Amino acid sequence: MKKRTPVQLPEEIYPDDPWVLLEDQFAPDFLYLTETIFALTNGRIGVRGSLDEGEPNHVVGMYINGFHETWPITHAEKAYGLAEVGQTMVTVPDGTLIEITVDGEAFNLPSVEIIRCRRWLDIQRGMLERDIAWRTKSGVTVELRFLRFVSLDMADLLASRLEISVDRPAEVRVVSRLRNRLDAGVGEGEPDDPRRAKQFTQRVLEPRAATLADLRFVQAWVTAHSRMGLLSGMDHLLSGPKPRISLDRSAMDFGFEFEWSLTPYAGATIDKFVVASHNGDSPGLDERQAIGEILDRAIQRGLPTLAADHEAKLREFWNENDIVVTGAGIETQRAIRWTLFQLHSNSACLQNASIPAKGLTGHAYDGHYFWDTEIYILPFLIYTNPDVARRVLSHRYAMLEHARERARTLSHDGILFPWRTINGHEASAYFLAGTAQYHINADIVYSIRKYVQVTGDREFLWAMGAEIVLETAKFWHDLGFYRSDHFHIHGVTGPDEYTALVDDNAYTNAMARMNLRYAFEVASELSAEEPERWEALREQVGIADGETIDWRLAADAMYIPHDRDLGITPQDDDFLEKEAWDFESTPESKYPLLLHFHPLTIYRFQVLKQADVVLADFLLGEEFNDELKRANFDFYEPLTTGDSSLSASIQAIMSAELGYHKAAMRHFHHALFMDLGDIAGNTTDGVHMASAGGVWMALVYGFAGMRDVRGTISFDPRMPKEWSEMKFSLHIRDTVLSVGLSHESITLVTTEPIEVIVDGETHLVAPGGGTVVRYQT
């Protein structure tokens, strides 16, 4: 794995605190980083951590999950079945803007005399705050206090507060704006990095009806091509001296202007409430009234109550799902909590949506949903917030008809989920590393299987999960073929995107085998549970007599490559025939390889972007023996670049399992500081959500050695020697299992009786004071 040097946040600017990410002075050189790491979201709406006054900035954005524009994909050479319409999550009008002028001097950090400037993200409370003192050219000392949060209690609401005071009489002007930044920046051209979002050259948001009343403004919009309706609005509560109020509007924004003649000890406060919501069509009167009702509730409750309710929601999360590591140091503990905060806040209020690759902290990858969600983020949700995990899987189910259409387009039975999407249609223009990654079908089934086994939610299986499981089994059985008593799958791309369109990719075949076996198992169980209900489902899916037996036979005959000489699982049938990439002669400036070498050049070599076989070793660990896992890891580790954020956490887990403790810690820190240390060099584009989920997995599956084969919880701890203790909790069916890990023992506390395997021995853990089990390291 290519070693990358993380960005070191200077301690004099960013001192250590286990719950607070503090910027102790104005640091313009780190704006590209802090706009991401100070981002706030609740999974429904999100806003980057830009400055309240709007300037300076790097990439400013406010987002609604799933709100997107469509555009025609232009192929230099067309072919049947290629994706035709792109989808891009777009920024919605920015309601964070607060412009301040004192005695005619605008507050702009690079140009004013700063006395004090502190900004911090309180991870425990979910609040972004600033404390600033500056001196005007007229000699006035101005004190500013900002507060911002995206409510976990009112899902469409962003709230903020500005407190301003002066030490001598001064003329103060504040403009609170709602700005359409998206269309103000059209025509900037396409990015050089294909991972970044499309830039539009024509107007996206078409204004519709607007409502103005008192200190409230609501604007309706419709996207130019996707025809999605949007409502954005703001309202205000003022305290302190009564201001003079006027309007300040232009083609791209609307502002309320407040002016005071302030005196010392008579400061002013502006509480601002911003709402953003979208629906499928042009917003009508009913929708505008609904937005008005949300703003009414916000005004009635007031910011202190809203903040308290928001903090209570977050406190509930921390009480049940914090991970405490003793001996790791404050920086590591804070990074763990920041990661957990991102995972929770980017999913807590999900509704009819999934989790984009960057969450709602940036719109790289066009805000698309990938397999990352099911494989890297769903384990965290299943064990911390199973209700949200169900919502994510339900959203996949809502794409079922589009998946059927896509399978027909590619001449397959069953269903084929899109590689990248927002609305359920395939949006991957580069099919070699996109649509060809058929493994996404099995990835989704893997997460359904894990969810059902861990939660016991049989009704979800009946209502939604089974249909996906059965339809994907039909797909795999149709895609593969028999040769020499083995079942083969050809012409696919595995998780490693530096190898494309191969035959018998080991990961794909192993996951397809799991999918086929689970489909047979589900069919057998459901037909026995409720025969009449099963017959209706069988008819709906179109399962012929004996078809489920065929699935089981195909699974049993599935070909998994194996090289006897090396004792490893080849990534695919041809991988070992290739020449190894010359890592020694590749300078760090040439990474990631995808930005510096033609795909055909990369495809000819043994070089990995993502963990592939090693990922299969982890996900399907019970199907690979220890000797094979070790051989696979030793072979693929040197070939795996750091070009994907998906690899480090999996390498950490497998390193821990295999007893490679130094490697486990190295890979863990690589994943942990992926964003806080800007290891990939693109934190500015948003949080690497899959890597964040991988950090949770590295802690729980890696260092705690937890496994959940068929829903049975076991622990084989591999805690780093540098740490003295680790504590976390898991939601398992109707039980919350609290785990305390030391180097000699594991303490288990449960709310309901549960069987847990520790170091190979089964223990019945009963509610009460806790069960202490000693184990051998």
Side-chain angles (χ1 to χ4, degrees):
M1 184 176 190
K2 183 66 179 177
K3 185 177 180 180
R4 305 288 176 80
T5 303
V7 171
Q8 296 294 322
L9 296 176
E11 289 188 7
E12 66 273 15
I13 302 178
Y14 301 95
D16 285 341
D17 186 301
W19 282 107
V20 176
L21 190 60
L22 170 66
E23 185 178 65
D24 208 26
Q25 58 184 271
F26 178 52
D29 291 344
F30 292 98
L31 275 176
Y32 77 96
L33 186 60
T34 56
E35 284 179 354
T36 290
I37 63 178
F38 285 163
L40 298 170
T41 174
N42 59 19
R44 183 88 62 86
I45 64 173
V47 61
R48 286 175 59 79
S50 52
L51 303 179
D52 305 81
E53 60 275 19
E55 298 287 346
N57 65 67
H58 189 71
V59 178
V60 179
M62 184 170 176
Y63 311 99
I64 301 177
N65 198 342
F67 184 72
H68 67 279
E69 177 63 307
T70 55
W71 44 277
I73 296 175
T74 302
H75 298 280
E77 297 182 16
K78 289 190 175 183
Y80 175 79
L82 297 182
E84 297 178 348
V85 180
Q87 310 148 33
T88 297
M89 181 175 74
V90 293
T91 57
V92 301
D94 179 11
T96 63
L97 275 172
I98 298 283
E99 298 172 359
I100 303 166
T101 304
V102 178
D103 285 345
E105 182 179 344
F107 172 62
N108 183 278
L109 281 175
S111 60
V112 300
E113 181 186 346
I114 301 172
I115 301 172
R116 182 181 69 255
C117 183
R118 302 170 75 242
R119 181 166 62 143
W120 63 96
L121 173 65
D122 189 324
I123 301 167
Q124 192 170 29
R125 297 167 55 238
M127 302 283 185
L128 180 62
E129 300 182 65
R130 296 171 75 196
D131 177 30
I132 295 170
W134 61 288
R135 184 175 294 110
T136 68
K137 293 176 182 177
S138 60
V140 179
T141 298
V142 185
E143 298 273 351
L144 303 175
R145 185 68 183 259
F146 296 88
L147 170 70
R148 180 193 297 176
F149 64 96
V150 175
S151 176
L152 291 173
D153 188 55
M154 294 183 66
D156 299 307
L157 181 70
L158 178 151
S160 64
R161 167 173 283 185
L162 165 65
E163 299 174 83
I164 182 168
S165 62
V166 295
D167 70 341
R168 64 182 67 182
E171 295 300 312
V172 175
R173 175 179 176 267
V174 174
V175 183
S176 173
R177 296 193 183 278
L178 186 66
R179 175 170 293 169
N180 176 9
R181 290 183 178 273
L182 174 63
D183 292 315
V186 296
E188 295 178 354
E190 291 297 314
D192 294 330
D193 188 336
R195 297 169 295 183
R196 289 182 173 165
K198 176 180 176 60
Q199 298 296 314
F200 291 93
T201 57
Q202 296 180 333
R203 183 156 188 163
V204 173
L205 296 180
E206 299 175 354
R208 291 294 187 264
T211 303
L212 174 64
D214 297 324
L215 299 181
R216 176 179 300 179
F217 175 74
V218 176
Q219 174 76 62
W221 312 81
V222 175
T223 52
H225 297 286
S226 62
R227 308 311 293 173
M228 295 189 74
L230 166 69
L231 282 162
S232 54
M234 61 179 174
D235 207 342
H236 305 79
L237 281 176
L238 309 179
S239 59
K242 186 175 181 180
R244 302 178 294 277
I245 302 173
S246 58
L247 303 180
D248 186 340
R249 64 193 308 173
S250 69
M252 294 300 170
D253 66 23
F254 184 96
F256 288 99
E257 182 177 306
F258 308 105
E259 294 182 286
W260 295 269
S261 298
L262 287 186
T263 58
Y265 315 112
T269 299
I270 301 175
D271 290 343
K272 183 176 184 179
F273 308 95
V274 179
V275 173
S277 180
H278 81 83
N279 63 350
D281 304 304
S282 178
L285 179 61
D286 291 343
E287 287 79 13
R288 294 202 303 275
Q289 288 177 340
I291 287 292
E293 291 172 1
I294 295 173
L295 289 170
D296 285 343
R297 291 200 300 273
I299 293 292
Q300 290 165 4
R301 293 170 68 180
L303 190 138
T305 298
L306 290 170
D309 292 342
H310 165 77
E311 289 184 46
K313 292 278 188 180
L314 200 51
R315 185 163 54 249
E316 180 181 345
F317 168 77
W318 289 120
N319 286 343
E320 292 190 354
N321 301 302
D322 188 16
I323 297 181
V324 180
V325 178
T326 305
I330 291 177
E331 186 181 22
T332 294
Q333 181 65 75
R334 179 180 64 185
I336 290 171
R337 285 179 172 145
W338 179 86
T339 301
L340 296 175
F341 174 72
Q342 292 298 333
L343 287 166
H344 178 64
S345 62
N346 275 282
S347 62
C349 297
L350 278 181
Q351 200 69 41
N352 302 319
S354 187
I355 302 170
K358 299 293 184 179
L360 298 182
T361 67
H363 60 292
Y365 293 105
D366 292 295
H368 290 169
Y369 313 135
F370 292 81
W371 71 303
D372 308 13
T373 304
E374 280 78 13
I375 294 299
Y376 288 84
I377 302 176
L378 253 294
F380 164 81
L381 292 175
I382 289 169
Y383 282 107
T384 63
N385 197 336
D387 178 61
V388 173
R390 192 184 206 270
R391 280 183 248 161
V392 171
L393 294 173
S394 299
H395 184 253
R396 281 293 188 188
Y397 180 78
M399 297 180 179
L400 209 57
E401 287 307 313
H402 294 321
R404 286 194 179 97
E405 293 172 10
R406 188 62 177 160
R408 299 295 88 75
T409 298
L410 273 70
S411 305
H412 300 309
D413 289 344
I415 59 177
L416 176 59
F417 284 101
W419 176 243
R420 56 187 299 172
T421 190
I422 297 176
N423 60 18
H425 292 285
E426 179 62 83
S428 174
Y430 188 60
F431 71 90
L432 291 171
T435 299
Q437 296 202 51
Y438 284 179
H439 63 82
I440 189 170
N441 268 10
D443 300 329
I444 292 168
V445 169
Y446 181 90
S447 67
I448 290 172
R449 185 182 71 161
K450 183 182 290 288
Y451 170 78
V452 171
Q453 290 175 347
V454 173
T455 66
D457 189 352
R458 301 291 292 180
E459 184 53 38
F460 168 79
L461 184 63
W462 270 109
M464 295 183 238
E467 191 172 353
I468 294 176
V469 172
L470 301 172
E471 289 277 26
T472 49
K474 291 173 72 71
F475 168 86
W476 290 118
H477 191 260
D478 174 65
L479 179 65
F481 63 94
Y482 283 95
R483 178 183 293 165
S484 303
D485 297 327
H486 284 106
F487 192 77
H488 298 266
I489 298 174
H490 284 187
V492 301
T493 299
D496 170 34
E497 295 173 0
Y498 283 171
T499 309
L501 281 187
V502 300
D503 296 341
D504 289 320
N505 169 257
Y507 175 92
T508 301
N509 286 19
M511 291 291 280
R513 179 173 64 184
M514 174 278 303
N515 193 157
L516 289 162
R517 284 176 173 166
Y518 186 53
F520 175 81
E521 179 183 316
V522 165
S524 301
E525 290 179 357
L526 296 188
S527 61
E529 279 181 21
E530 297 186 48
E532 292 184 4
R533 193 175 181 183
W534 162 251
E535 282 302 312
L537 179 60
R538 186 176 71 85
E539 184 176 345
Q540 178 183 342
V541 176
I543 299 174
D545 292 340
E547 187 172 355
T548 61
I549 298 294
D550 291 339
W551 298 345
R552 180 58 190 262
L553 292 174
D556 291 344
M558 185 68 71
Y559 175 72
I560 306 296
H562 182 74
D563 185 89
R564 292 184 178 179
D565 293 336
L566 295 175
I568 67 167
T569 304
Q571 187 166 298
D572 57 70
D573 259 1
D574 296 324
F575 189 82
L576 297 183
E577 302 302 316
K578 298 177 180 179
E579 181 183 357
W581 184 270
D582 187 357
F583 289 95
E584 291 297 323
S585 300
T586 306
E588 186 169 341
S589 61
K590 291 295 185 180
Y591 292 92
L593 300 182
L594 64 93
L595 296 184
H596 301 280
F597 297 91
H598 192 283
L600 289 176
T601 301
I602 298 173
Y603 294 162
R604 294 188 184 106
F605 291 89
Q606 291 181 6
V607 59
L608 279 68
K609 183 184 178 194
Q610 287 97 344
D612 197 297
V613 171
V614 173
L615 177 60
D617 285 344
F618 163 57
L619 296 179
L620 303 171
E622 69 277 15
E623 299 181 13
F624 299 86
N625 62 47
D626 292 344
E627 182 181 358
L628 182 57
K629 289 179 186 178
R630 185 178 300 277
N632 284 340
F633 187 88
D634 291 346
F635 181 82
Y636 289 106
E637 163 82 352
L639 300 176
T640 306
T641 67
D643 290 357
S644 169
S645 63
L646 304 184
S647 298
S649 58
I650 303 305
Q651 290 169 301
I653 294 168
M654 292 309 299
S655 295
E657 178 178 333
L658 297 170
Y660 297 157
H661 303 301
K662 289 183 178 180
M665 285 296 281
R666 183 176 73 252
H667 290 306
F668 172 69
H669 280 103
H670 186 103
L672 182 64
F673 292 98
M674 181 64 63
D675 291 308
L676 291 175
D678 195 22
I679 285 179
N682 61 352
T683 295
T684 185
D685 296 332
V687 173
H688 292 79
M689 291 303 301
S691 181
V695 168
W696 184 89
M697 290 199 296
L699 287 163
V700 175
Y701 288 103
F703 296 138
M706 192 267 281
R707 294 295 183 269
D708 47 16
V709 178
R710 302 189 68 82
T712 298
I713 305 302
S714 65
F715 294 96
D716 187 4
R718 297 286 192 273
M719 194 171 71
K721 64 180 181 180
E722 297 89 345
W723 303 354
S724 58
E725 190 176 30
M726 182 166 71
K727 296 180 179 179
F728 60 93
S729 295
L730 303 169
H731 293 243
I732 305 165
R733 290 177 282 280
D734 296 324
T735 301
V736 176
L737 178 67
S738 298
V739 181
L741 193 65
S742 72
H743 287 291
E744 295 82 26
S745 65
I746 182 170
T747 302
L748 304 170
V749 179
T750 181
T751 56
E752 299 290 339
I754 184 174
E755 284 192 348
V756 177
I757 300 172
V758 178
D759 203 17
E761 295 186 6
T762 301
H763 302 266
L764 177 61
V765 183
T771 299
V772 179
V773 180
R774 296 197 172 276
Y775 67 89
Q776 292 184 346
T777 57

